[in-house]
Amino acid sequence: MSGTLFTHPDRNLGMELVRATEAAAIRAAPWIGRGEKNLADGAAVDAMRKFLGTVDFDGVVVIGEGEKDAAPMLYNGEHVGTGNGASFDIAVDPIDGTSLTATGRMNAVSVIAVSDRGTMYDPSAVFYMDKIVTGPEGKGVIDLSRPIGDNIRALAEAKGIPVAEMQIAVLDRPRHKQLIADIRAAGAGTRLLLDGDVAGGINAARPESRIDMCVGVGGTPEGIITACAVKALGGVIQGRLKPKDDAERQKALDAGHDLDRILDQDDLVTGDNTYFVATGVTDGALVAGVSRSKGMIRTESLVLRSHSGTRRRVIADHLESKWLDGDDGDGS
């Protein structure tokens, strides 16, 4: 028996976008552990922009690294790609975890998320969002408005495991002191993240991961990027905007945002054609980092697409000599 995707196969844009995250990760790798997060990020941005320019699509950066005057960042509103083909919203994070890269710690990744034009939520009014992410078992089970202990117990029951076996990922920040205490009081364990909000959320949604849930206040842009992946993984994300001060609260209200509304993956990214691509910069639970051996550079990437429900793990070996002295590889 054959389905629509077999009889009418279409292009998987993610397999072209992965070249851009690979390039960004390779260029950032020499800066691992050298304490220069801005130089690492700059190298990744330059490589990502160059490779995105070869992709046949009309991409508009909805979630970038700043405004146009902050170049060489991939700025909000920038058009990327050849301009040919379909139009897409694009979210980029050349390095999710610049501090992790600079200090040589785990879980830094290069990330691109894409969805059909006009489908990504505009996060510009509020930088932070309170979030909860789980795998498919969380559908109809978790509720961001409920206490964390209730959500942990409900998800444990849905997964058929004891609460004591639950592992909850949380960014290790002073703002999460009470949240961490509440998780532990509920009887679950914590996985404290130094950085890497996106990787934490995706690991919570992956069925093979030991992380059951990712919670806490993190970036709104990272929430939207995570939603692109969650839709491909069949998981759940809920978020609620969390202004950092009165000025940002007023800005959000002026923009028409309902600050009490709980947004899910279909609010953060409408439509069912999302791509998510991540390449490891440093080693982590999601993907391995860039490694060098015997004249080769190895990268590992995760490529997800919601429309087809495909999850690909791409391990690529790049001839190191092609990346020396400013060369950005052979383009393949």
Side-chain angles (χ1 to χ4, degrees):
M1 188 171 76
S2 61
T4 303
L5 288 173
F6 179 79
T7 55
H8 300 284
D10 62 353
R11 172 188 178 204
N12 188 336
L13 185 64
M15 298 306 293
E16 299 170 55
L17 295 172
V18 72
R19 295 170 57 242
T21 55
E22 287 173 346
I26 290 170
R27 281 303 189 205
W31 297 101
I32 294 172
R34 293 178 60 183
E36 297 283 0
K37 68 177 186 178
N38 291 335
L39 292 177
D41 194 46
V45 168
D46 289 346
M48 182 174 282
R49 175 182 278 121
K50 182 177 291 187
F51 274 73
L52 281 174
T54 71
V55 180
D56 275 336
F57 78 137
D58 179 17
V60 177
V61 178
V62 175
I63 298 171
E65 294 203 306
E67 303 303 322
K68 184 174 182 178
D69 291 342
M73 295 178 178
L74 279 155
Y75 59 84
N76 299 338
E78 181 175 355
H79 281 257
V80 295
T82 63
N84 300 321
S87 298
F88 291 92
D89 287 346
I90 180 168
V92 297
D93 199 344
I95 305 179
D96 179 43
T98 53
S99 295
L100 299 177
T101 303
T103 55
R105 292 192 169 105
M106 297 178 66
N107 294 316
V109 293
S110 177
V111 174
I112 295 174
V114 171
S115 65
D116 292 336
R117 188 75 186 104
T119 59
M120 279 189 187
Y121 184 80
D122 181 1
S124 58
V126 181
F127 185 77
Y128 286 110
M129 172 182 281
D130 195 8
K131 292 173 280 191
I132 182 168
V133 186
T134 76
E137 299 89 349
K139 286 187 176 180
V141 172
I142 62 163
D143 184 345
L144 187 60
S145 66
R146 297 170 61 193
I148 185 60
D150 289 353
N151 279 313
I152 290 171
R153 286 185 286 271
L155 185 61
E157 183 178 356
K159 297 185 76 165
I161 63 175
V163 168
E165 292 184 11
M166 294 282 285
Q167 295 292 318
I168 315 300
V170 190
L171 281 172
D172 190 6
R173 300 288 187 272
R175 63 178 177 266
H176 290 150
K177 182 178 180 181
Q178 187 59 53
L179 175 60
I180 292 168
D182 291 343
I183 292 168
R184 292 170 177 169
T190 55
R191 296 283 185 93
L192 300 184
L193 308 174
L194 293 173
D195 210 336
D197 197 10
V198 172
I202 294 165
N203 277 324
R206 291 195 306 130
E208 64 272 28
S209 171
R210 271 299 297 120
I211 293 176
D212 301 287
M213 181 187 295
C214 185
V215 296
V217 176
T220 303
E222 286 81 358
I224 297 163
I225 291 171
T226 302
C228 287
V230 163
K231 295 191 82 161
L233 292 166
V236 179
I237 180 171
Q238 293 182 1
R240 181 168 49 204
L241 297 175
K242 193 172 182 65
K244 63 179 182 290
D245 52 35
D246 289 340
E248 193 172 78
R249 174 177 291 275
Q250 190 58 54
K251 181 182 176 183
L253 293 173
D254 291 343
H257 292 296
D258 180 355
L259 298 179
D260 294 322
R261 182 185 177 194
I262 294 177
L263 306 161
D264 66 15
Q265 59 271 13
D266 293 322
D267 298 309
L268 296 172
V269 185
T270 61
D272 187 38
N273 189 33
T274 68
Y275 300 87
F276 172 87
V277 182
T279 300
V281 178
T282 61
D283 286 337
L286 187 64
V287 282
V290 177
S291 63
R292 283 177 161 84
S293 178
K294 298 179 180 179
M296 302 299 293
I297 302 172
R298 173 164 290 190
T299 57
E300 183 178 5
S301 306
L302 184 65
V303 181
L304 309 174
R305 186 187 183 191
S306 65
H307 179 64
S308 59
T310 52
R311 310 172 192 180
R312 288 181 169 90
R313 195 165 291 273
V314 179
I315 297 175
D317 290 322
H318 313 259
L319 192 61
E320 188 172 20
S321 62
K322 296 289 187 178
W323 291 85
L324 298 177
D325 301 322
D327 189 355
D328 279 321
D330 62 2
S332 65

